Amino acid sequence: LRTLFPYTTLFRSNEDFKPFMDSVIKENFEKYKIPSLCVVVVKDGKVIYENSLGYQDTQSKTKADVNTTVYRIGSTSKLLTETAIMQLYEQGKIDLNEDANKYLKDIKIQNKFEKKVTVENLLTHTSGIDEATTSYDAARNEKDMMGLSEFLKKHPPVVVTEPGEICLYSNIGIDLLGNIIENVSGMKYEDYIQKNVFNVLDMKNSNVGLPINNMAKNYDSYFKTDYYYYNDNPAGGINATR
């Protein structure tokens, strides 16, 4: 659906856009047998379309709702982590061109190259860190989770290509940014995002990690499965509504 967004300008009015979106969403909802789907389209800072189909819980027949049904947003979490970094940059607490190791305290990026891995490299996925250096451990319950520092110590980041030369999508790079947020702000990553992002945007139904109320049930096809608890929340562990 994201490929449809640039074409909103082809419609003479938002009223023309609505039946088009209704048709496309219904067609794909039925085609892919999705348990629930919530869609919100924003243009020029205003919501021009919203719709929800299906059930956040098929057993109880609880309908999905764009305002209250919470979904794990996966790698979109990275955008909120990067927003937090830019907040700290604007406050003069982080230099984007500085060696990231300066802000990592007891965790160090292992780098054999002369060029340092900067904070900007982490932001732009150009750190050269080997993504295979971490297994992205997940936990079955909250009790088994590791803190972010513990997780990164268990999976130390290793640079395998010269920083700044290759753009390679990196989860661990964003996790390192999460650790920098903790070290610079003196707050846990989860608490920082809650206070400086969710509260500011009045995102009352959003949080970092599990559990959370009104979470859409996780399904493998139509069979309900459990959610995993991520140990690397900055890269993919945020849950949110619209």
Side-chain angles (χ1 to χ4, degrees):
L1 292 178
R2 102 179 67 170
T3 58
L4 299 174
F5 295 175
Y7 302 106
T8 56
T9 55
L10 297 179
F11 297 89
R12 283 177 288 185
S13 69
N14 294 343
E15 287 70 28
D16 294 332
F17 183 59
K18 184 179 186 306
F20 168 75
M21 286 296 291
D22 283 344
S23 174
V24 170
I25 289 171
K26 185 174 185 294
E27 177 185 342
N28 284 277
F29 179 79
E30 294 173 350
K31 177 180 179 180
Y32 294 105
K33 297 179 172 59
I34 304 170
S36 70
L37 175 66
C38 292
V39 178
V40 176
V41 179
V42 178
K43 181 182 179 184
D44 299 328
K46 296 181 179 180
V47 174
I48 64 170
Y49 178 85
E50 61 182 44
N51 194 6
S52 57
L53 295 173
Y55 301 96
Q56 69 181 49
D57 186 334
T58 59
Q59 186 174 2
S60 66
K61 298 299 181 184
T62 304
K63 289 187 175 182
D65 185 285
V66 292
N67 294 304
T68 59
T69 300
V70 179
Y71 295 91
R72 173 170 274 170
I73 65 174
S75 283
T76 308
S77 306
K78 294 177 173 63
L79 300 179
L80 303 185
T81 301
E82 292 169 338
T83 296
I85 287 289
M86 294 308 295
Q87 288 177 341
L88 295 170
Y89 162 74
E90 289 176 342
Q91 295 167 21
K93 297 179 179 179
I94 290 178
D95 181 348
L96 300 183
N97 296 313
E98 183 62 76
D99 183 351
N101 275 332
K102 175 182 176 180
Y103 304 107
L104 289 172
K105 293 187 177 180
D106 54 348
I107 298 164
K108 294 302 176 187
I109 299 170
Q110 300 175 24
N111 181 11
K112 65 182 179 181
F113 296 94
E114 184 176 344
K115 289 175 67 175
K116 304 299 183 183
V117 174
T118 66
V119 177
E120 182 178 357
N121 289 146
L122 298 177
L123 281 168
T124 57
H125 299 267
T126 57
S127 65
I129 292 173
D130 180 14
E131 198 68 356
T133 57
T134 176
S135 60
Y136 305 112
D137 291 4
R140 276 289 184 182
N141 52 60
E142 193 172 13
K143 177 177 65 70
D144 294 336
M145 283 187 63
M146 292 182 283
L148 190 55
S149 292
E150 182 184 359
F151 171 77
L152 290 168
K153 287 177 183 177
K154 185 176 179 181
H155 305 287
V158 179
V159 179
V160 294
T161 61
E162 188 172 12
E165 295 299 315
I166 297 175
C167 182
L168 178 64
Y169 187 83
S170 176
N171 285 294
I172 194 169
I174 303 300
D175 292 328
L176 288 167
L177 290 178
N179 188 248
I180 288 173
I181 291 166
E182 292 190 333
N183 293 337
V184 172
S185 70
M187 302 172 65
K188 288 183 62 177
Y189 171 81
E190 294 80 1
D191 295 337
Y192 184 94
I193 296 297
Q194 183 67 53
K195 178 180 179 180
N196 297 284
V197 179
F198 295 151
N199 290 354
V200 172
L201 296 176
D202 199 28
M203 297 173 67
K204 296 177 180 178
N205 294 316
S206 303
N207 82 335
V208 180
L210 298 174
I212 186 172
N213 295 329
N214 293 326
M215 193 84 168
K217 300 301 181 184
N218 196 35
Y219 294 93
D220 181 2
S221 295
Y222 272 115
F223 297 98
K224 188 171 70 173
T225 57
D226 292 332
Y227 278 104
Y228 283 98
Y229 286 70
Y230 289 156
N231 287 311
D232 60 329
N233 283 324
I238 290 177
N239 313 292
T241 55
R242 57 185 295 173

